[in-house]
Amino acid sequence: MSRGIEAEILPTVRELGISVTAYGILSRGLLSSGTARLAPDDPRTRFPRFSGENHARNLELLAALEEMAAGYGVTAAQLAIAWVASRGEDIIPLIGTKRRDRLAEALKALTLTLSADDLAAIEAAVPAAAVAGDRYARRR
């Protein structure tokens, strides 16, 4: 859900011919597991995106993405991976998992081809500016 590199960093690295490894594309599990109910001791609760109203807003965005994904017969995680993979051959999605079934799920996403209309619909459903809360807690 963090897309801060798109405005300045991505154009610069492309001008220099540098590829980007996109990490954390499932937003610390938000796009793969929903994280609707986090345990109070879950480390993600330290991050603003997983706190209070921010978390509730981001779950609304996830619901929109899940609805779209269902229309393609895939999960929200698969749609997110396919979206990242569609951003250009110079973008390499890095998927982290501990489970083989999640790896198989992620790899299936690479077979999904998104049209320009699909990409526009995803952007409309989950615009970058709509993501609530900072990625990291502010240092004190």
Side-chain angles (χ1 to χ4, degrees):
M1 293 184 120
S2 296
R3 294 173 50 192
I5 73 164
E6 291 178 358
E8 294 179 22
I9 296 171
L10 191 54
T12 300
V13 296
R14 283 185 165 154
E15 182 178 317
L16 297 170
I18 300 170
S19 294
V20 173
T21 301
Y23 69 94
I25 62 174
L26 298 180
S27 245
R28 292 190 174 94
L30 178 64
L31 300 178
S32 60
S33 62
T35 64
R37 291 197 174 105
L38 294 175
D41 62 341
D42 190 306
R44 291 174 289 186
T45 60
R46 297 180 312 201
F47 300 108
R49 290 210 175 139
F50 290 92
S51 302
E53 290 180 23
N54 291 337
H55 190 222
R57 173 63 183 138
N58 293 331
L59 288 174
E60 289 174 11
L61 295 173
L62 172 62
L65 192 64
E66 287 174 330
E67 186 176 327
M68 292 187 71
Y72 295 103
V74 299
T75 66
Q78 289 170 318
L79 187 57
I81 294 166
W83 181 86
V84 171
S86 77
R87 306 317 294 165
E89 291 185 18
D90 57 346
I91 307 292
I92 299 110
L94 179 64
I95 311 300
T97 186
K98 297 174 188 170
R99 298 175 21 199
R100 286 183 183 202
D101 61 326
R102 292 288 190 178
L103 176 60
E105 177 184 357
L107 292 173
K108 183 179 175 190
L110 299 177
T111 65
L112 181 60
T113 302
L114 300 171
S115 70
D117 288 343
D118 295 332
L119 296 171
I122 293 168
E123 178 67 31
V126 187
V131 177
D134 291 332
R135 186 173 183 188
Y136 298 108
R138 293 195 176 142
R139 292 186 176 196
R140 297 173 193 222

